[in-house]
Amino acid sequence: MTGGLHWIDGVIVASYIALVLWLGWYYSRRQTDTGDYFTGNHAMPPLLIGISLFATLFSTISFLSTPGELINKGPVILTGMLAIPLSYIIVGYLLIPVYMRQRVTSAYELLETRLGLPARMLGAVMFVLLRLSWMSMLIYLASKAVLEMLDLSHDQLQIVAAATGAIAIIYASMGGLRAVVITDLLQFLLLFGGAVLVIVMATVRIGGIDWFPTSWNPAWDTQPLFSWDPYVRVTVFGTILHGVLWWVCTAGGDQTAIQRFMATRDASAARRSFLVNSIAGAAVITVLALVGFSLLGFYQAFPAELPEGKTIAADADILFPRFISHELPVGLSGLVVCGMFAAAMSSIDSGVNSISAVVMTDFIDRFRRHPVSEQHRLRIARWLAFGIGVAVVMASAHLDHVPGNFLEKTKRTIGLFVAPMFSLFFMAVFVRFATAWGAIVGAACGFLAAAIVAYWNFGVDYFSQLSATSDASLIASEPISYQWIFPVSLVTAIVCGCIASMLNRLFRRDAAN
């Protein structure tokens, strides 16, 4: 091994990889049909499903970005935990009972029942694009962390990305949802334990908990309670609203979440699984916040430990992987690296399995003219999972151009699809006068609104550079806050969808007369 990692750490990581591959092979031998492969035959325990849901949606992105965000920008991100109780009420008592009335493999079958085939196809396509972007981003960020830990150059990014994604792709394509859920539990324990270990070691090195802040760090951003200024990066209200919309839109429109609800026995079990997910989320976010505080204190106390040319403010995202590889004792570094890889793989395996379920159910089975055996469908599902994984790894090497730190890169990438996709379900479930084309128009408008908010400054910069006057005042120095993406996109999608549906019904009535 190179950088700060010892060969013993490499042995530990290799042993963990061998374990998860064995689990994938073990569960592959017990499968007989795609019902078990995609939903575990609707008999998975709520505790395991809840942990799996959290591990899937938390990922390496959150594992690495939360400490970096807190070190560089401040602790207001923690107020997002206030969104958890409200999210649980909305998802657990409004959405889950409606969704669990129909036992489906793909969530987008629900859309066809109410809005017809075009809405189902659009929902499925948006989901596939969302999860492909998301998995590509998390492989990219995990690979960047590995480059830092091994002191490798950026030229090695594609090689590291291929190695990071290959393991998860292999065992997810072999073992199906059961392998995914079991390994998610193991990966959650590694993720949580690794974060706690970093806090303990930083505390030992500093000589106490003096790292815990008792006042506002001057280097942190101004983070007000509320602001109408779209260029204010983070506010308390925006953080809470973003948290609520994220969980509601994800649990109500994302196959990775709905697939897990369908893997439980009934609505009550699905609700318990979401409660477990919420509790796990609050616990891990709290621990990662303490990781951020402790790392900030450590590098302020020992500035010589920073890499040459690096600063705490400018390079906050790399401090966590840097500490893991250079400050932890031999062996312990390997365990925490396993936790980081675990966070990546728990998301990749679930994303691959969910995309395969959607492609298999919404496209192949939906338009297949002749029935085939379950064994043949199972082989197709596994090859689909493998092919999707390869595409994700290839795409991950091309995400350098998205602006912002780890957290912002994620929000500006996957935020394009989350709210528009949920708007289709909202129109189908809660808007009685909704029509298929109205919902589709609304989702398209929501996507466009999300893209404008996420990349507004790109357009301003581009056209300013084309301008002959080249007025520097036209160029936006900061992008619009990512916290505006979800609310603007969702409101636009619902309002436009309702208007389009009413016009669609009016035109039909006129045509009939």
Side-chain angles (χ1 to χ4, degrees):
M1 304 290 284
T2 59
L5 296 181
H6 193 271
W7 67 266
I8 295 176
D9 299 313
V11 171
I12 292 172
V13 174
S15 300
Y16 170 76
I17 292 171
L19 173 62
V20 296
L21 290 176
W22 176 82
L23 284 171
W25 171 82
Y26 174 78
Y27 281 104
S28 70
R29 299 180 62 197
R30 298 162 63 93
Q31 291 162 354
T32 57
D33 56 42
T34 51
D36 185 63
Y37 186 80
F38 288 131
T39 63
N41 285 330
H42 309 291
M44 300 294 292
L47 178 62
L48 280 180
I49 290 296
I51 293 295
S52 175
L53 177 60
F54 169 76
T56 295
L57 297 176
F58 194 74
S59 79
T60 302
I61 295 170
S62 304
F63 189 59
L64 294 175
S65 68
T66 300
E69 170 73 11
L70 193 139
I71 291 169
N72 190 21
K73 305 298 183 181
V76 168
I77 189 176
L78 292 178
T79 60
M81 287 194 293
L82 298 175
I84 292 176
L86 183 57
S87 302
Y88 172 71
I89 293 172
I90 295 173
V91 174
Y93 291 94
L94 292 181
L95 299 182
I96 286 178
V98 175
Y99 290 0
M100 293 296 286
R101 290 172 191 161
Q102 299 183 51
R103 308 297 281 185
V104 296
T105 299
S106 167
Y108 309 102
E109 296 175 63
L110 300 172
L111 293 177
E112 183 173 6
T113 303
R114 174 65 178 84
L115 296 175
L117 182 61
R120 176 180 178 176
M121 293 295 99
L122 177 61
V125 168
M126 292 185 75
F127 167 76
V128 171
L129 293 175
L130 164 66
R131 286 301 155 197
L132 287 176
S133 302
W134 177 68
M135 289 190 292
S136 298
M137 180 60 72
L138 73 89
I139 290 178
Y140 166 77
L141 296 182
S143 301
K144 292 278 285 186
V146 172
L147 292 179
E148 175 62 31
M149 288 189 290
L150 300 182
D151 288 339
L152 299 176
S153 68
H154 188 271
D155 296 337
Q156 306 296 317
L157 180 64
Q158 290 184 333
I159 298 174
V160 174
T164 303
I167 303 150
I169 293 165
I170 293 171
Y171 81 77
S173 59
M174 286 193 301
L177 187 66
R178 289 185 183 274
V180 168
V181 169
I182 296 298
T183 51
D184 279 350
L185 174 62
L186 174 62
Q187 290 157 358
F188 170 77
L189 296 175
L190 281 171
L191 181 151
F192 191 85
V196 170
L197 185 59
V198 169
I199 297 171
V200 171
M201 295 306 302
T203 301
V204 170
R205 290 289 305 275
I206 294 173
I209 59 170
D210 295 340
W211 48 262
F212 192 83
T214 56
S215 60
W216 193 266
N217 192 311
W220 287 340
D221 284 354
T222 300
Q223 299 178 330
L225 182 65
F226 178 79
S227 175
W228 286 108
D229 184 353
Y231 294 101
V232 174
R233 183 177 177 275
V234 171
T235 67
V236 173
F237 177 80
T239 301
I240 298 172
L241 178 62
H242 184 275
V244 171
L245 293 181
W246 158 254
W247 276 115
V248 170
C249 292
T250 299
D254 193 315
Q255 169 72 6
T256 54
I258 297 174
Q259 183 181 6
R260 277 159 178 72
F261 297 150
M262 294 298 171
T264 60
R265 289 186 177 86
D266 52 32
S268 178
R271 188 182 301 115
R272 289 197 301 274
S273 73
F274 191 71
L275 178 62
V276 171
N277 160 80
S278 301
I279 294 172
V284 172
I285 290 173
T286 300
V287 169
L288 288 176
L290 295 177
V291 168
F293 286 139
S294 62
L295 292 180
L296 177 60
F298 174 82
Y299 284 106
Q300 285 178 333
F302 304 102
E305 299 298 331
L306 286 167
E308 185 177 354
K310 304 291 186 181
T311 65
I312 294 176
D315 303 285
D317 280 334
I318 70 167
L319 297 186
F320 192 11
R322 173 79 183 182
F323 188 92
I324 291 171
S325 62
H326 289 74
E327 306 300 335
L328 293 182
V330 172
L332 295 183
S333 293
L335 289 175
V336 182
V337 170
C338 286
M340 189 199 70
F341 275 111
M345 289 188 286
S346 66
S347 302
I348 298 169
D349 59 21
S350 301
V352 166
N353 185 268
S354 297
I355 292 177
S356 300
V358 167
V359 173
M360 191 75 184
T361 305
D362 293 303
F363 296 100
I364 297 178
D365 288 347
R366 178 63 179 76
F367 298 104
R368 188 196 303 274
R369 294 184 178 181
H370 304 290
V372 296
S373 68
E374 273 299 319
Q375 286 296 324
H376 184 67
R377 294 182 74 246
L378 187 58
R379 284 195 297 271
I380 293 175
R382 286 174 175 162
W383 280 110
L384 269 175
F386 182 78
I388 290 165
V390 171
V392 165
V393 170
M394 294 175 64
S396 65
H398 303 284
L399 294 172
D400 271 340
H401 304 295
V402 180
N405 63 4
F406 282 3
L407 182 70
E408 287 182 277
K409 284 178 181 289
T410 307
K411 303 301 182 184
R412 296 185 189 282
T413 303
I414 67 175
L416 301 179
F417 302 99
V418 174
M421 190 166 63
F422 172 69
S423 74
L424 292 171
F425 288 87
F426 182 89
M427 297 293 290
V429 174
F430 298 109
V431 181
R432 291 184 178 274
F433 59 85
T435 65
W437 292 110
I440 291 172
V441 169
C445 292
F447 175 83
L448 180 61
I452 291 173
V453 173
Y455 298 103
W456 170 258
N457 67 312
F458 277 7
V460 173
D461 289 352
Y462 178 74
F463 287 111
S464 296
Q465 291 169 8
L466 291 181
S467 171
T469 59
S470 188
D471 186 355
S473 65
L474 294 176
I475 301 179
S477 59
E478 293 291 338
I480 294 175
S481 169
Y482 68 86
Q483 292 186 339
W484 287 89
I485 297 175
F486 282 177
V488 170
S489 177
L490 184 60
V491 170
T492 300
I494 292 174
V495 171
C496 292
C498 289
I499 294 174
S501 293
M502 289 188 289
L503 291 174
N504 188 219
R505 287 185 178 275
L506 181 62
F507 291 150
R508 285 182 184 175
R509 190 179 302 119
D510 291 343
N513 293 332

